[in-house]
Amino acid sequence: MDDTVRRPAKGADSTSAADAVATLTAGRLVLLASLGALGALATNIMLPAFAAMARDLAVAPRDLAWTLSSFFIVFAVGQLFVGPLADTLGRAPFVIGGLVVFAAGGVICAVAPSLTVLIAGRVIQALGACATSVLARAIARDCFQGPELTRTLALVMIAMAAAPGFSPALGTAMTLLFGWRSIFVLVAVAAVLVAFHYRLSLGETLPPDRRRSARPSAIARTYGELALDPRFIFPALTVSLVIGCLYGFFGAAPAILMNGMGISSTGLSIFFAATVLVVFGSGLMAGRLARRWGAPRVGMAGVLIAMAGGLWLFLQAGAPTPAPFMAAVTLFLGGMGLINPIGTAIALEPFGDRAGGASALLGFMQMTFAALGTGMIGALPIGPATAYAWMVLGGTMIAAAAFVPVLLQRVGKVA
């Protein structure tokens, strides 16, 4: 049945208790997690298949990097349009439409006879995935607030972290058993199943009396207000910097662990999967710790833990060995698992009347820093291990500085 969430009209920036009337069920959690994770799944699942794809399409493996960069660019920019439009027309048209477009892109990739067509399919995938990613956060904000919002986002972020962790192993198995094209069939089928789940279990979460104008001037004003509002921009910048470091790891790990340390592709997949447990445990603790110590304090602790991992990477950057390198990355991921859901909840919670726009701008910032993080690994004239260490240490230090105003604001309220 269509379990639509309905609430009375409220003024801008309202966070009253009446705002959280939905119940976090297992079905809703799976749905939100699936919407948020599709983009990461579609990207990381194809990485182990690059060699087979290059042979089949008669291109150099490095040329396949265009399938990643084109996806990130469209994913980042597309969110800026989807969010405000979803604040005007509702969530449902863009959730269903995004999933249909995403599935169509997967089919095009599966039958692509050339790299050009494959890139086109990836662009279409990104157009669909940007809608699902934005609206996973926006729907969570529609339905929940306070500690429940933090808990919901923590569980969703766990799923989003699990997708890049487990998907390389899944991609390896699919490629060996059925060929690389089966990967794209799999993600297309997943999108169709999620669309049916959404239609049958949740439906529209933004009632008409809470929708906003979609005029270009209104959209521009919304983004301008968000960018200048310290309640949004400081936690959003913090989360985006840490996410950039995370994607930098995805980009650097094959060169560091496989080329530099001689770890096999299977070993790399196992390590990626093991990191999910770290993010899972950290994310589960985020909501509980936030209820006890306050979200800003726990968020700052997460940033500092991530920065400690960056410092450890920096100290061994010249000649990293597998165990210390993996331990430092694990420490960084533990901190990321705390700050990611907490920072996201802090950034979105004051803006229930424009959750789509806020989620879109946050997603744009995250994917921009993700593109910068992956690009820096290859662009810097130093080895990948050194480049990654500098990036994580510098990124987390700036993130900590950006989160200080959030912490001080809460301390001021308590005082």
Side-chain angles (χ1 to χ4, degrees):
M1 65 180 173
D2 191 351
D3 191 10
T4 302
V5 176
R6 302 204 178 274
R7 291 187 303 272
K10 298 177 290 297
D13 300 352
S14 172
T15 57
S16 68
D19 200 51
V21 299
T23 301
L24 180 58
T25 63
R28 284 173 177 160
L29 176 60
V30 169
L31 173 63
L32 293 176
S34 300
L35 291 173
L38 276 177
L41 172 66
T43 295
N44 285 51
I45 196 173
M46 62 186 284
L47 297 181
F50 267 22
M53 293 163 67
R55 288 194 303 268
D56 195 21
L57 299 176
V59 298
R62 66 176 179 273
D63 292 336
L64 291 171
W66 285 104
T67 64
L68 301 179
S69 57
S70 61
F71 185 94
F72 285 145
I73 292 170
V74 174
F75 192 104
V77 176
Q79 294 179 87
L80 295 177
F81 296 93
V82 171
L85 290 174
D87 282 342
T88 298
L89 302 175
R91 315 303 188 203
F94 295 94
V95 173
I96 297 297
L99 290 167
V100 170
V101 170
F102 180 87
V107 172
I108 292 172
C109 290
V111 300
S114 65
L115 178 61
T116 301
V117 177
L118 181 64
I119 292 172
R122 288 285 291 166
V123 167
I124 295 172
Q125 271 192 324
L127 288 172
C130 73
T132 63
S133 178
V134 166
L135 296 178
R137 294 186 294 264
I139 292 171
R141 179 58 190 87
D142 289 341
C143 299
F144 309 104
Q145 63 129 358
E148 192 73 356
L149 176 61
T150 300
R151 177 169 172 257
T152 302
L153 288 173
L155 295 171
V156 171
M157 299 303 172
I158 288 171
M160 294 177 70
F166 284 118
S167 54
L170 180 58
T172 299
M174 292 292 293
T175 302
L176 291 175
L177 293 174
F178 307 109
W180 65 268
R181 296 179 186 275
S182 66
I183 291 173
F184 296 103
V185 175
L186 177 66
V187 295
V189 171
V192 173
L193 294 177
V194 173
F196 278 110
H197 183 18
Y198 171 79
R199 181 64 186 86
L200 296 174
S201 67
L202 188 60
E204 184 58 66
T205 59
L206 186 69
D209 57 9
R210 294 191 57 205
R211 299 180 186 181
R212 299 172 61 88
S213 170
R215 294 191 307 271
S217 59
I219 294 173
R221 184 168 60 253
T222 294
Y223 284 139
E225 291 171 352
L226 288 169
L228 295 175
D229 194 320
R231 296 173 300 169
F232 174 83
I233 198 63
F234 287 122
L237 181 60
T238 301
V239 171
S240 299
L241 284 162
V242 175
I243 290 296
C245 296
L246 173 67
Y247 275 85
F249 167 66
F250 293 144
I256 297 172
L257 295 174
M258 296 177 67
N259 299 339
M261 300 180 188
I263 293 176
S264 66
S265 58
T266 301
L268 180 64
S269 297
I270 292 173
F271 177 59
F272 274 172
T275 61
V276 174
L277 300 178
V278 178
V279 179
F280 181 83
S282 188
L284 284 181
M285 291 191 301
R288 297 178 183 178
L289 294 175
R291 284 192 294 271
R292 177 169 183 148
W293 302 105
R297 289 187 178 91
V298 179
M300 178 57 81
V303 177
L304 294 178
I305 292 171
M307 187 169 66
L311 178 60
W312 195 357
L313 286 168
F314 178 78
L315 293 176
Q316 57 180 299
T321 53
F325 177 83
M326 292 179 180
V329 170
T330 299
L331 186 62
F332 163 78
L333 292 173
M336 186 216 73
L338 290 176
I339 183 56
N340 194 11
I342 287 176
T344 300
I346 291 173
L348 296 184
E349 187 165 6
F351 307 102
D353 64 317
R354 46 194 142 157
S359 177
L361 185 56
L362 175 61
F364 173 78
M365 293 172 63
Q366 289 180 353
M367 295 312 299
T368 298
F369 279 97
L372 290 174
T374 53
M376 284 177 61
I377 299 300
L380 292 176
I382 50 180
T386 304
Y388 179 62
W390 274 100
M391 182 185 67
V392 175
L393 181 58
T396 52
M397 289 177 67
I398 299 172
F403 204 71
V404 167
V406 180
L407 185 63
L408 293 178
Q409 181 186 35
R410 177 55 60 92
V411 170
K413 287 182 178 180
V414 174

